[in-house]
Amino acid sequence: MSTSVSTRKRLSEGLAVTQKVFIRSRNGNATKIVREHYLRNDIPCLSTACQKCSEIVVPNAANELPKFVLSADPMAIGLGKHYVVLDTNIVLLAIDLLENPSCFSDVIIPQIVLDEVRNRSYPVYLRLRALCRDSNETKRFIVFHNEFSEYTYINRQKDETINDRNDRAIRQTCEWYGEHLKETGIKIVLVSNDKLNREAAKSQDSDKYTTLNLNKYVDALPNGEEIKDLIPNVDPKTEASLNEEDLNEFTFPEYYSTARIMGGIRNGVLYQGNIQISEYNFLEGAVSLPSFSKPVLIVGQMNLNRAFNGDQVVVELLPESEWQAPSSVALDSEHFDVNDNPGNEGDEGDDVVASKNPIISDKQRRMLAKDAIQAQKAQKVRPTARVVAITRRSWRQYVGQIAPNSVDLQTAGTQNVFIILMDKCLPKIRIRTRRAAELLDKRVVISVDSWPANYKYPLGHFVRDLGTIESAQAETEALLLEHDVEYRPFSKKVLECLPEEGHDWKAPVSVDDIEANKADPLLAKRKDLRDKLICSIDPPGCVDIDDALHAKKLPNGHWEVGVHIADVTHFVKPGTALDAEGASRGTSVYLVDKRIDMLPMLLGTDLCSLKPYVDRFAFSVIWELDENADIINVEFHKSVIRSREAFAYEQAQLRIDDPKQQDELTLGMRALLQLSIKLKQKRLEAGALNLASPEVKVHMDSETSDPGEVEIKKLLATNSLVEEFMLLANISVARKIYDSFPQTAMLRRHAPPPATNFEILNEMLQRRKNMSISVESSKALADSLDRCEDPKDPYFNTLVRIMSTRCMMAAQYFYSGAYSYPDFRHYGLAVDIYTHFTSPIRRYCDIVAHRQLAGAIDYEPLSLDHRDKHKMDMICRNINRKHRNAQFAGRASIEYYVGQVMKNNESLESGYVIKVFNNGIVVLVPKFGVEGLIRLENLTDDTHSAEFDEVEYKLTFTSKDSKNRREVFVFDQVQVQVRSVLDPITNKRKAELILK
């Protein structure tokens, strides 16, 4: 039995306490638990119109007074001048509308709303916090701490749900604000789509505030008509904002209840995991589950049951009679059901029939799971499952374009249209807009609002347009948004953290300077290395120089080798707005035509950058290496350096190769090159992998910024020189920080790939080339890759390495307490421990590693944030996601500009077949780094006579040109006509390949 009693008493002027006394009884023993919640009467309303709060407000722990933000002359509607209070569902549904600069100017967010939003959607929470943090002349958002105000805190009543209590707390906040600001003439408007909440507000019959739903509030705004497209497109069953004719007969299976899900997972008959939709077939997904050696397949629209790529789903295995092999059909959402009517949801495709599942007991399902595990070991047939619940949505803002054939050009008013998304793994989105004709040739941003069971396509709303399709600005912004890259200018609060001297900042002339030591007490701990012959070697045009090197012969015949890394943490201190922004961005993003910086340009390209001929602060790793490149000793120092020269890779190579150059700097560079060759050889002997990717470089015209030509990236010996010493520095730092912080060291691991990842590639190699790849260890994999040589085709080995790279696991950042030491191993580099230390200007991981190394050498104490496992886990999750997104954004930028180069340059190129379907082949063109699906209808006029041999990875068809029968196998080298075309359905430019 458990009972609780609430009391409230005043402790002192301005401070009260509410006590909850819980009495629990178990086996006759009573336990008294007292919880105290402190309340204040000096929490200000933060309105500049209020005269009372300025007299009672007190400074915070940093001795700063809160800033009064809400306008004294807010927007007037029919109700007069007003402030808006929002409930949780409005924030979650309409965050895009809240961010729009033309509405919602003065907004009060009760603390209880902020807390609920954080629990339900962390990305929306971060966007809301940004609105409150970055209030300006047009957007004034404040958080009112209603849970700590004596006037607005309420106790939960008997039999009252938590949601009802929170709704009542929001209404109490509105009541207090209405009374508090009565003399100013400013009204309070509660905006809520919760019908019960609005009715409860009306039943109070209060004149202190007014309650409106979102639609009615927007209607009341002077610019309401202009922003109506941004109102969320909600399920008509829950909100009567859509017409009766929108209801339809199409029905997905209903999701299981929470109780059934929890019981099913506990009993081992339901499974939870993240779904990945196939890049070649949007009606096929896969879920990796711990018990299964291969991902379980989800096939068909009904079995996918409204799941988006990346959603966390709960699945139930289907009967064994429905298990099947992965699909051999290529199918994208863009060209599927192109004639569907967005105003009519009743159309049901032939291949979206739900599984006729017999009723199966829990015992039978557990037997089914055992059969599934055995089946995966034995054959190509894979267990299939269906989605029965979605526990976490991956929804975000998406970029796409209106499907032209979904627009009725004769309709001037609001109409339903389809948005085809840039991500071809995702379905079309149905939105309502008045601007359909105007937006036809635009890239647009939309948000997904809901996907009711009786709708074939998800419902969303328009957010904004980015500009005309194919314009460089629109396409670049589109790919940044699509990959969640923060590209807005740095905020004022971030820029205020930069040194006041700006570009005039200079490192002290001497580390012993008395005045300089007064300004920076840590300066005396730095080592002055300005006498070392240091240089940097980077790509051409590099301005954010992270690293520099030196080598010097020691009297004992050994070499002193130094890697010097920009000391970013001297400027980026923990707990500052600058640090928070760097942590949020996670990494710099490199596009063909621009760079999106992690840190402001003042630091990245000037004060931190190890530019030549100027003094700079650095973090130095200095080894003593013998003639075999074995480490005799290693030291770590915060330092001051002066780089003698900044070389591009090619310049450095020419200088090393020039026998006339015999100066000390060049001799040091030659020594570095020789030592790097020995380091690389030792890595390769240990089993380090030498993988490949189809990387190309796009040359831009320096005057017009137009793309000029495409070339395959070339690697020089100096590329390897820098890489080897950066690897060595990362390994040395990893060992040091792990020794000092064994639970929270920032590290990077690369898990070994499951053998199942290489099954298909191995089958292809065995069938076509009588070769195989061994994955028993990284050494075995490296050796087997070396053996995959075709004397007739020198590119074949590179092709196999490219395909092997796609079978690998992704490397990931982690904190050392998350895994046992054997799992720290980096499979690709064949080292037992690794981190990233050498690029702090462009990677946040490196900033954390710098701080931990500074703590390890007793330079300065380590921030508590980097000693806390939970906080380190959050940092690692974010930088893993941002790192992956940055890679995808960079590739998408190259793909766009390659398309622009090819637009006017049709050419015949050599390509390689890397995948064979029963309705087409996928060909990789190394010269452009592009791959494309050549559909069966573009290979032959007689598609019915085509034959697909799944065992031999062969497609046989009657050639369009010669009318002869032709066989195409995987790994075949083929000639293709390459041209860039604009897809008439999607308005996306892509490489079109025509087999010759």
Side-chain angles (χ1 to χ4, degrees):
M1 186 189 85
S2 174
T3 61
S4 70
V5 181
S6 296
T7 62
R8 186 183 292 198
K9 64 180 180 180
R10 181 162 297 285
L11 295 181
S12 63
E13 182 61 35
L15 188 65
V17 63
T18 176
Q19 285 189 335
K20 277 194 177 182
V21 180
F22 295 83
I23 300 173
R24 286 204 183 112
S25 178
R26 183 175 292 174
N27 300 328
N29 298 320
T31 304
K32 179 180 177 182
I33 302 170
V34 180
R35 291 182 184 163
E36 295 186 337
H37 185 87
Y38 291 89
L39 304 174
R40 306 175 64 113
N41 64 8
D42 57 0
I43 295 177
C45 68
L46 300 182
S47 168
T48 53
C50 176
Q51 302 299 315
K52 307 170 194 172
C53 289
S54 56
E55 297 173 5
I56 63 164
V57 71
V58 294
N60 61 17
N63 205 31
E64 299 167 336
L65 288 171
K67 188 177 178 183
F68 284 64
V69 172
L70 299 173
S71 172
D73 186 28
M75 179 188 289
I77 55 175
L79 303 164
K81 295 189 295 184
H82 71 287
Y83 296 152
V84 174
V85 177
L86 302 174
D87 76 357
T88 305
N89 285 325
I90 291 293
V91 174
L92 292 170
L93 270 175
I95 187 67
D96 302 316
L97 195 58
L98 301 183
E99 290 174 333
N100 190 295
S102 60
C103 58
F104 287 98
S105 300
D106 290 275
V107 179
I108 298 161
I109 306 293
Q111 176 201 342
I112 192 66
V113 170
L114 190 70
D115 292 343
E116 280 190 309
V117 169
R118 176 171 185 157
N119 291 334
R120 290 173 62 181
S121 175
Y122 195 69
V124 173
Y125 166 78
L126 292 177
R127 291 167 71 181
L128 183 60
R129 284 306 302 257
L131 279 171
C132 298
R133 183 189 67 227
D134 301 332
S135 290
N136 53 37
E137 294 75 23
T138 58
K139 305 290 283 183
R140 295 172 290 276
F141 278 59
I142 64 117
V143 175
F144 178 72
H145 295 278
N146 67 297
E147 293 296 282
F148 294 99
S149 169
E150 186 178 326
Y151 309 113
T152 56
Y153 176 80
I154 58 169
N155 288 313
R156 185 176 166 191
Q157 296 174 349
K158 188 178 180 182
D159 298 328
E160 185 178 39
T161 67
I162 292 174
N163 280 342
D164 287 346
R165 183 264 168 200
N166 292 345
D167 286 343
R168 192 160 57 86
I170 295 168
R171 297 196 297 273
Q172 176 64 26
T173 300
C174 295
E175 187 88 13
W176 178 79
Y177 259 100
E179 178 64 34
H180 183 73
L181 298 174
K182 192 173 183 180
E183 295 174 7
T184 67
I186 296 172
K187 310 287 185 186
I188 301 299
V189 178
L190 170 61
V191 178
S192 171
N193 273 1
D194 185 334
K195 190 176 178 182
L196 294 176
N197 195 16
R198 295 200 304 270
E199 287 174 354
K202 287 175 183 173
S203 68
Q204 286 181 315
D205 198 25
S206 172
D207 60 349
K208 307 286 194 309
Y209 66 99
T210 305
T211 309
L212 296 173
N213 70 20
L214 183 61
N215 285 55
K216 287 185 177 177
Y217 179 74
V218 170
D219 282 340
L221 296 175
N223 60 341
E225 281 299 313
E226 298 171 21
I227 60 176
K228 269 190 175 177
D229 283 1
L230 276 72
I231 295 176
N233 199 352
V234 292
D235 180 356
K237 291 186 293 185
T238 60
E239 191 73 28
S241 61
L242 300 180
N243 300 327
E244 195 67 34
E245 66 189 41
D246 289 322
L247 296 172
N248 55 78
E249 297 176 1
F250 186 94
T251 305
F252 281 105
E254 289 292 342
Y255 294 138
Y256 285 179
S257 67
T258 304
R260 188 172 177 183
I261 292 165
M262 292 176 70
I265 292 173
R266 188 167 55 248
N267 294 333
V269 297
L270 298 180
Y271 304 89
Q272 185 169 268
N274 289 338
I275 190 165
Q276 296 299 319
I277 305 297
S278 166
E279 63 177 311
Y280 293 110
N281 186 341
F282 85 107
L283 291 180
E284 180 178 277
V287 181
S288 295
L289 303 173
S291 317
F292 296 79
S293 59
K294 300 177 191 174
V296 171
L297 290 178
I298 318 288
V299 181
Q301 200 165 5
M302 284 297 180
N303 287 331
L304 286 168
N305 199 5
R306 296 167 280 162
F308 264 50
N309 191 31
D311 282 353
Q312 188 179 77
V313 299
V314 176
V315 298
E316 180 177 69
L317 287 177
L318 293 175
E320 195 168 350
S321 60
E322 296 187 40
W323 295 358
Q324 56 187 275
S327 174
S328 59
V329 177
L331 185 66
D332 61 55
S333 60
E334 304 160 347
H335 301 88
F336 179 76
D337 284 353
V338 294
N339 296 317
D340 271 1
N341 181 355
N344 177 13
E345 282 291 317
D347 296 332
E348 189 169 333
D350 294 334
D351 51 358
V352 293
V353 180
S355 297
K356 306 286 190 296
N357 296 316
I359 296 172
I360 302 175
S361 70
D362 281 359
K363 185 176 180 181
Q364 287 172 315
R365 288 203 179 279
R366 283 193 287 272
M367 293 296 293
L368 207 57
K370 289 181 181 177
D371 289 345
I373 293 168
Q374 290 302 315
Q376 287 192 334
K377 294 176 182 175
Q379 53 195 324
K380 280 190 176 181
V381 170
R382 301 246 292 266
T384 57
R386 63 189 182 111
V387 173
V388 296
I390 296 177
T391 50
R392 188 176 64 239
R393 283 289 190 186
S394 60
W395 288 349
R396 54 179 171 81
Q397 286 190 340
Y398 297 98
V399 180
Q401 56 282 326
I402 290 180
N405 59 355
S406 71
V407 177
D408 182 355
L409 296 174
Q410 308 304 315
T411 301
T414 300
Q415 61 177 298
N416 292 315
V417 297
F418 283 132
I419 300 294
I420 297 172
L421 303 181
M422 288 181 74
D423 187 341
K424 63 184 180 182
C425 296
L426 300 176
K428 293 177 280 201
I429 311 296
R430 182 179 186 239
I431 71 165
R432 293 171 66 82
T433 179
R434 298 169 303 107
R435 301 171 56 195
E438 175 193 341
L439 296 172
L440 260 179
D441 64 340
K442 306 285 188 184
R443 285 269 180 254
V444 296
V445 182
I446 63 106
S447 278
V448 180
D449 301 315
S450 62
W451 196 345
N454 59 331
Y455 275 72
K456 186 174 178 180
Y457 298 102
L459 307 179
H461 66 267
F462 169 80
V463 177
R464 62 192 174 99
D465 79 82
L466 302 177
T468 306
I469 286 170
E470 286 224 277
S471 66
Q473 182 179 347
E475 297 297 341
T476 298
E477 192 172 1
L479 72 87
L480 291 172
L481 280 167
E482 189 63 17
H483 296 101
D484 191 26
V485 174
E486 177 57 75
Y487 61 94
R488 289 176 295 184
F490 291 98
S491 69
K492 185 180 176 185
K493 287 188 177 179
V494 169
L495 297 177
E496 284 172 352
C497 298
L498 299 175
E500 293 177 3
E501 305 93 326
H503 291 285
D504 294 328
W505 180 90
K506 289 181 174 58
V509 175
S510 168
V511 293
D512 300 321
D513 184 273
I514 296 173
E515 291 302 317
N517 272 278
K518 284 180 183 176
D520 178 10
L522 296 174
L523 179 63
K525 292 186 175 183
R526 286 189 182 271
K527 189 158 188 173
D528 196 329
L529 301 177
R530 282 174 277 206
D531 61 321
K532 306 292 182 185
L533 295 177
I534 296 168
C535 68
S536 60
I537 306 173
D538 291 285
C542 180
V543 289
D544 51 344
I545 303 174
D546 282 293
D547 54 85
L549 306 101
H550 88 271
K552 177 185 175 183
K553 190 89 170 184
L554 296 174
N556 63 1
H558 292 167
W559 285 95
E560 175 189 275
V561 174
V563 164
H564 312 276
I565 307 300
D567 187 8
V568 174
T569 54
H570 174 77
F571 301 97
V572 182
K573 297 299 184 186
T576 61
L578 177 59
D579 182 52
E581 185 69 17
S584 174
R585 295 191 179 211
T587 180
S588 294
V589 181
Y590 293 85
L591 309 180
V592 169
D593 61 332
K594 64 171 67 176
R595 183 186 67 248
I596 313 296
D597 291 317
M598 181 182 80
L599 298 172
M601 193 177 291
L602 174 66
L603 296 183
T605 63
D606 190 358
L607 306 191
C608 293
S609 181
L610 303 182
K611 302 190 295 184
Y613 327 125
V614 291
D615 296 342
R616 286 288 179 259
F617 284 166
F619 212 147
S620 300
V621 182
I622 300 175
W623 302 274
E624 181 183 341
L625 301 180
D626 65 17
E627 63 278 3
N628 295 318
D630 291 322
I631 298 173
I632 307 302
N633 185 39
V634 60
E635 295 178 354
F636 307 93
H637 302 285
K638 286 266 190 163
S639 60
V640 188
I641 69 165
R642 186 181 184 89
S643 174
R644 297 300 201 270
E645 195 63 67
F647 295 106
Y649 288 120
E650 199 164 349
Q651 286 178 311
Q653 192 68 56
L654 290 170
R655 182 152 177 168
I656 290 171
D657 294 342
D658 184 354
K660 295 177 184 175
Q661 299 281 354
Q662 294 297 325
D663 58 279
E664 205 171 338
L665 178 62
T666 308
L667 293 175
M669 290 165 66
R670 287 191 186 122
L672 288 169
L673 181 59
Q674 292 307 311
L675 289 167
S676 73
I677 291 169
K678 293 173 181 175
L679 286 170
K680 184 171 185 176
Q681 186 57 38
K682 284 195 285 187
R683 277 199 313 109
L684 293 175
E685 287 171 0
L689 300 177
N690 183 16
L691 298 172
S693 60
E695 289 192 61
V696 296
K697 182 173 183 177
V698 180
H699 292 282
M700 305 293 286
D701 187 293
S702 57
E703 293 181 8
T704 65
S705 294
D706 291 331
E709 61 174 337
V710 180
E711 70 169 0
I712 297 173
K713 280 189 178 179
K714 296 172 185 170
L715 295 179
L716 302 167
T718 43
N719 289 81
S720 183
L721 181 160
V722 174
E723 180 186 10
E724 290 305 320
F725 283 106
M726 297 307 115
L727 292 174
L728 191 64
N730 289 333
I731 294 165
S732 296
V733 170
R735 296 195 195 289
K736 182 68 176 178
I737 62 176
Y738 176 62
D739 285 346
S740 299
F741 307 105
Q743 289 300 308
T744 58
M746 173 63 84
L747 301 173
R748 187 165 174 81
R749 68 189 288 268
H750 183 209
T756 53
N757 285 21
F758 280 84
E759 272 184 4
I760 294 176
L761 179 56
N762 258 328
E763 283 179 22
M764 291 176 180
L765 286 167
Q766 193 72 48
R767 287 281 175 186
R768 297 296 305 136
K769 301 286 185 178
N770 199 25
M771 299 174 182
S772 65
I773 293 173
S774 171
V775 290
E776 293 166 4
S777 67
S778 59
K779 175 66 173 166
L781 177 57
D783 291 345
S784 61
L785 284 173
D786 289 340
R787 290 193 296 270
C788 290
E789 294 277 359
D790 185 342
K792 299 175 185 175
D793 185 359
Y795 188 77
F796 177 72
N797 184 259
T798 303
L799 180 67
V800 174
R801 290 179 191 276
I802 289 170
M803 295 175 76
S804 296
T805 302
R806 298 178 184 185
C807 300
M808 302 295 288
M809 304 291 284
Q812 61 177 182
Y813 297 108
F814 71 103
Y815 66 95
S816 51
Y819 293 92
S820 60
Y821 191 85
D823 292 327
F824 290 7
R825 187 167 182 79
H826 195 292
Y827 183 83
L829 296 174
V831 291
D832 58 327
I833 191 167
Y834 190 67
T835 191
H836 272 165
F837 166 80
T838 54
S839 297
I841 292 175
R842 60 184 179 88
R843 288 189 307 231
Y844 191 75
C845 163
D846 304 55
I847 287 179
V848 177
H850 274 234
R851 288 174 181 158
Q852 291 182 335
L853 183 60
I857 63 171
D858 294 325
Y859 178 81
E860 62 183 335
L862 179 62
S863 164
L864 292 177
D865 284 357
H866 305 322
R867 289 174 176 264
D868 184 294
K869 284 186 177 183
H870 176 68
K871 289 181 179 176
M872 284 297 291
D873 183 52
M874 290 181 67
I875 291 171
C876 291
R877 285 174 187 271
N878 182 61
I879 59 179
N880 279 325
R881 184 170 60 85
K882 293 292 189 177
H883 179 76
R884 187 171 59 251
N885 289 353
Q887 288 180 314
F888 290 153
R891 289 173 197 161
S893 176
I894 291 171
E895 188 179 331
Y896 165 70
Y897 277 103
V898 167
Q900 296 303 303
V901 170
M902 291 161 52
K903 191 157 57 171
N904 302 314
N905 298 296
E906 192 170 323
S907 60
L908 188 67
E909 302 294 342
S910 179
Y912 290 85
V913 178
I914 60 171
K915 212 166 183 66
V916 179
F917 294 107
N918 70 10
N919 66 336
I921 58 174
V922 178
V923 176
L924 170 71
V925 181
K927 179 179 176 181
F928 294 119
V930 298
E931 59 187 74
L933 172 68
I934 306 179
R935 296 179 180 280
L936 186 59
E937 54 264 33
N938 295 325
L939 294 170
T940 178
D941 293 322
D942 183 10
T943 56
H944 297 293
S945 69
E947 297 172 12
F948 172 60
D949 187 333
E950 191 176 6
V951 176
E952 294 294 332
Y953 299 96
K954 176 178 71 172
L955 187 63
T956 307
F957 54 90
T958 303
S959 178
K960 260 190 176 187
D961 299 332
S962 64
K963 303 301 180 185
N964 295 326
R965 293 294 279 177
R966 180 170 180 179
E967 294 179 341
V968 176
F969 294 86
V970 73
F971 297 131
D972 277 1
Q973 184 175 5
V974 294
Q975 293 297 304
V976 289
Q977 192 79 25
V978 184
R979 62 178 181 176
S980 177
V981 296
L982 199 64
D983 190 303
I985 294 171
T986 67
N987 277 329
K988 292 184 194 173
R989 182 165 293 281
K990 61 181 184 181
E992 182 181 72
L993 309 180
I994 301 168
L995 190 66
K996 290 298 180 184

